[in-house]
Amino acid sequence: MIDIDFVESLIRMLDESALDSLEIRRGGTRIRLSKSPDGHAAVASPPANNAAPERAAVADPAQPAAGPEPEVPDRASSAGLLEVTSPMVGTFYRAPSPEAAPYVEVGSTVAAGEVLCVIEAMKLMNELECETAGRIVEVCVDNAEPVDFGQVLFRVDPA
């Protein structure tokens, strides 16, 4: 049985990403989604001898696997603060591991390119880097909370 909510979330994630296509094998099901008109979206059962564990793969090998695109903090609030938003749907983590200290705290000074957090999407950990130097004024999401595409994660006072 195919979980329609899972498929719909995959479609939303693909629409909001720079990927052109995506292929997932989960249990006894294979799901392939593609944005391009010459591609196709299909849900099919794998061959009977396929007992592969759950995995995700980019189905278009021509698409470079450059990792997450850093979010450009382009939205400004009335106080002149830059908002760093989530580039994807996933789970927000303030630190690289549960026992590690958070990457940044309120009041931390950050440089352009410095890691602010990790967003886990489909079992992949994606580091989100700050695009500008400044000081962290607000952390808008609690650790281990789900985030949506475009959700404000941090407010930064630019240097």
Side-chain angles (χ1 to χ4, degrees):
M1 186 74 169
I2 296 172
D3 181 2
I4 298 300
D5 292 332
F6 175 71
V7 174
E8 289 175 345
S9 69
L10 287 175
I11 292 168
R12 280 192 304 275
M13 289 173 65
L14 182 63
D15 283 344
E16 296 166 354
S17 75
L19 296 175
D20 180 60
S21 59
L22 175 72
E23 183 174 323
I24 304 285
R25 291 180 195 257
R26 185 177 192 193
T29 304
R30 179 179 147 236
I31 301 171
R32 184 180 189 291
L33 304 169
S34 178
K35 289 182 186 178
S36 62
D38 57 321
H40 56 82
V43 178
S45 296
N49 62 355
N50 186 356
E54 178 180 329
R55 64 186 176 99
V58 176
D60 183 1
Q63 181 80 3
E69 293 181 25
E71 179 61 31
V72 178
D74 57 357
R75 292 187 242 166
S77 69
S78 60
L81 301 178
L82 298 176
E83 294 179 337
V84 178
T85 60
S86 179
M88 65 188 73
V89 174
T91 303
F92 172 86
Y93 293 105
R94 295 190 60 198
S97 66
E99 59 277 345
Y103 288 108
V104 295
E105 297 282 0
V106 171
S108 296
T109 301
V110 295
E114 187 172 335
V115 176
L116 298 174
C117 66
V118 171
I119 299 177
E120 177 188 5
M122 295 177 48
K123 308 242 186 238
L124 297 174
M125 299 301 195
N126 303 283
E127 291 182 338
L128 181 63
E129 298 176 353
C130 192
E131 285 293 312
T132 185
R135 184 178 56 84
I136 302 295
V137 174
E138 183 179 3
V139 178
C140 303
V141 180
D142 291 329
N143 191 50
E145 290 293 316
V147 294
D148 289 323
F149 175 79
Q151 181 176 345
V152 176
L153 304 176
F154 299 94
R155 289 196 172 83
V156 179
D157 185 8

